[in-house]
Amino acid sequence: MAPTTGVLYKEDNYIIMTTVDKEKYKCILPLISSGNEEEEKDYKGPTPGELLEPLFKQSSCSYRIESYWTYEVCHGKHIRQYHEEKETGQKINIQEYYLGNMMIKNPLSEPEGQMTPYYPIEMGNGTPCSLRQNLPRSSTVMYICHPEAKHEILSVAEVTTCEYEVVILTPLLCNHPKYRFRASPVNDIFCQSLPGSPLKPHNLEQLEKQQEMMKMPFRRVKEEEMHSTKEEKFSSIHKPVAVGNHQLLTVGTTHISKLTDDQLIKEFLSGSYCFHGGVGWWKYEFCYGKYVHQYHEDKESGKTSVVVGTWSKEEHIEWSKKNAARTYYLREDGTQTVRMVSHFYGNGDVCDLTDKPRQVTVKLKCKESDSPHAVTIYMLEPHSCQYILGVESPVICKILDTADEYGLLSVPS
């Protein structure tokens, strides 16, 4: 029986399947082309700008506290980066920069037809930037739908000198079909037996019986016997990161206490220790200097894997000549420290929408944490099949200052 909600099925959209045992089944296929596109076309509700209006009218602000800087986004008003220090006599000394001071009139026209998961607002007229002939700092604030969010700042990145990208998670945009998250659909195919064939194919019956048998208690004993010390060591190092509650923002802690920091850094930089993250449909695997994969694991169909990008040092170096591979912030004593490095991974699997290979910019950033092995991973898709993978961890804090002119990292001496 085909469902009455969700994906559309039509009785005349079917194929006849024949098994190896010559059993015949009529299988009704989903009409995949309809759905999101139709919903968007028929949508007559508020525009993204109108949906976000409560944020701008209430003069509400969001904060992100990092190891040195605090970021303040007062929606539609300003973006401020500041550091407070109490001096003797309880006088508070504030070091601050405005990364944007007002919404530029005519914010970016509704980016229709663009497969962007975010709604951008341009903020200009920030604190003058001495590195760019005193031009004012400016920012693009990207609002992303997240049903459980409370308008928090996901990330702040300096994309080029004194120009910033701020990502805000908000539930307000989720009422608009264009900005809702779309898990890659897996639609059921409904099959009915034709005259002379059993309700279920013989081989499927056998397989289901085997699976039931495997759930029996005797299997547990064997599993316990299997846990040798070697098994234990492997699982403690390579266990995927425990993650949060959304496919965009994933946070968790790896279970790698048996590795010292030095061992971990060496394994990470050699590509043999990989970061994992992601919930919802897709999970992500990032192996430094090797690849970025997104994958989906399913009990029935096994593992589906997509290569988002693969590492080529030569391609990255070419890319780094046109893009900022290293970004800095100024310490109080006037010295610079590396804040983030960006690496290009190209030549992924070919994208159906563009007929070009997927590619990803990996942004590695220091994030202090009580757990030395915590990692935050988030994936954005600003353009079809062109991704940004944000990776933040205390592990990265220890190696950022080794970045060379191309942003390439090495084991600290």
Side-chain angles (χ1 to χ4, degrees), residues 109-124:
S109 58
E110 304 284 315
E112 291 302 330
Q114 206 181 326
M115 284 292 289
T116 50
Y118 58 77
Y119 179 72
I121 299 270
E122 295 288 312
M123 302 284 286

Side-chain angles (χ1 to χ4, degrees), residues 158-169:
E158 190 170 7
V159 278
T160 58
T161 305
C162 296
E163 288 184 8
Y164 305 84
E165 234 173 42
V166 181
V167 178
I168 306 278
L169 301 177

Side-chain angles (χ1 to χ4, degrees), residues 51 144-148 170-181 246:
L51 288 170
I144 290 181
C145 147
H146 186 313
E148 288 98 43
T170 176
L172 298 178
L173 272 185
C174 300
N175 290 330
H176 195 298
K178 181 173 162 40
Y179 296 94
R180 266 178 226 145
F181 269 96
H246 201 270

Side-chain angles (χ1 to χ4, degrees), residues 92-144:
I92 294 177
N93 182 30
I94 296 186
Q95 180 187 359
E96 67 178 3
Y97 299 98
Y98 283 85
L99 311 184
N101 244 333
M102 56 181 228
M103 233 189 311
I104 293 172
K105 295 299 167 203
N106 304 325
L108 291 185
S109 58
E110 304 284 315
E112 291 302 330
Q114 206 181 326
M115 284 292 289
T116 50
Y118 58 77
Y119 179 72
I121 299 270
E122 295 288 312
M123 302 284 286
N125 202 29
T127 305
C129 173
S130 57
L131 297 172
R132 293 187 66 185
Q133 294 84 44
N134 278 346
L135 275 172
R137 287 170 164 79
S138 66
S139 298
T140 302
V141 186
M142 306 195 292
Y143 290 90
I144 290 181

Side-chain angles (χ1 to χ4, degrees), residues 1-70:
M1 179 66 192
T4 51
T5 58
V7 180
L8 204 57
Y9 289 82
K10 279 193 177 166
E11 283 293 331
D12 58 356
N13 187 37
Y14 68 87
I15 54 170
I16 302 293
M17 302 287 284
T18 307
T19 69
V20 287
D21 298 324
K22 301 286 184 283
E23 303 150 321
K24 285 188 181 294
Y25 296 84
K26 176 185 177 181
C27 296
I28 300 169
L29 304 174
L31 295 172
I32 296 172
S33 59
S34 62
N36 287 325
E37 297 87 346
E38 287 300 314
E39 193 189 354
E40 274 184 36
K41 210 166 61 184
D42 298 341
Y43 176 75
K44 299 283 188 290
T47 64
E50 287 166 348
L51 288 170
L52 291 171
E53 213 165 280
L55 265 189
F56 301 139
K57 280 194 167 161
Q58 291 161 9
S59 300
S60 56
C61 303
S62 303
Y63 294 85
R64 179 181 170 98
I65 299 167
E66 298 203 346
S67 53
Y68 185 81
W69 294 109
T70 297

